[in-house]
Amino acid sequence: MNRKAPHLRKDSNAYRQKKNEEAKQSMKDNFVPNDLMNIPNYAFVRNEEIYKSLIQNLTELGIGIHLKSIDIYSLIELANTIDLLIEIGKELKEYGISQVSTSRDGSSRVVASPHVQMRNTTLNQLQTQMKNLQLTPEARQQLTESVLNDADMATFSDDEDDELINNIMKRF
């Protein structure tokens, strides 16, 4: 039984092998890095620093390679959600998770702060947005298993190759 992943197997049928190679090349062409730092003028970004930090972290970690320029709007909404979550966190820190509510007849009781529900809703929204962009650990793992396991997907320049070898040698 051949336990190799389907995209790593060599096919005995020349026609099918050629089609597989063409599909691999097409996939490589679709996964070229995009410049996600250029925010359109008409897009609303609550905090541009958070957006740029998000893109920089995705780039440094190498997990944003599947994102295209059309995803800028989704990334902007993700950055806006993160900014809103930070703002809600500041409010919770300042006012706490509960507050005293006084009724018309003068009795008072402790109730949950409305910021707690806002935080929970925003966290769920953040999780959904990250999952849709395949930025959660589970989604990245699935993407990696289905696409990026192919050794042919890796392309290195001579400088990157030398740097990789030097980094490996430093560990020994």
Side-chain angles (χ1 to χ4, degrees):
M1 178 181 216
N2 193 346
R3 296 209 173 255
K4 283 187 178 178
H7 63 281
L8 296 177
R9 294 184 203 147
K10 294 293 182 191
D11 201 327
S12 60
N13 183 316
Y15 176 76
R16 217 174 21 227
Q17 182 65 27
K18 181 181 176 191
K19 287 293 183 190
N20 287 342
E21 293 299 323
E22 289 172 359
K24 283 182 190 179
Q25 187 58 42
S26 173
M27 180 106 18
K28 285 183 201 177
D29 294 343
N30 284 330
F31 281 94
V32 294
N34 290 297
D35 182 22
L36 300 172
M37 281 292 194
N38 293 329
I39 303 169
N41 293 336
Y42 45 84
F44 171 71
V45 181
R46 286 174 55 101
N47 188 337
E48 199 168 316
E49 288 180 24
I50 290 177
Y51 177 79
K52 289 187 177 188
S53 175
L54 174 68
I55 299 302
Q56 184 178 2
N57 285 324
L58 290 175
T59 304
E60 287 175 2
L61 294 172
I63 58 177
I65 194 167
H66 65 283
L67 299 172
K68 298 293 180 192
S69 56
I70 192 71
D71 294 324
I72 286 176
Y73 303 104
S74 298
L75 289 167
I76 288 171
E77 288 307 313
L78 179 64
N80 288 344
T81 302
I82 291 170
D83 185 54
L84 182 61
L85 195 58
I86 291 169
E87 191 174 311
I88 292 169
K90 288 177 184 176
E91 294 288 323
L92 278 171
K93 187 175 182 180
E94 184 176 339
Y95 298 111
I97 61 171
S98 60
Q99 62 190 52
V100 177
S101 174
T102 306
S103 64
R104 291 181 189 166
D105 62 358
S107 63
S108 60
R109 62 185 180 137
V110 177
V111 295
S113 170
H115 292 100
V116 173
Q117 181 60 34
M118 289 170 55
R119 186 202 64 202
N120 293 342
T121 303
T122 307
L123 279 172
N124 288 337
Q125 182 180 3
L126 178 71
Q127 182 68 20
T128 302
Q129 288 172 332
M130 289 181 70
K131 192 172 184 178
N132 289 341
L133 286 167
Q134 293 181 318
L135 296 176
T136 61
E138 179 186 13
R140 285 195 316 267
Q141 181 67 27
Q142 289 174 352
L143 180 67
T144 300
E145 287 175 357
S146 64
V147 177
L148 300 178
N149 281 342
D150 188 358
D152 294 334
M153 291 291 288
T155 55
F156 295 104
S157 68
D158 290 337
D159 293 336
E160 290 173 326
D161 197 23
D162 291 341
E163 184 180 337
L164 180 63
I165 291 170
N166 289 336
N167 285 338
I168 292 171
M169 294 307 289
K170 284 180 189 176
R171 292 183 181 161
F172 291 108

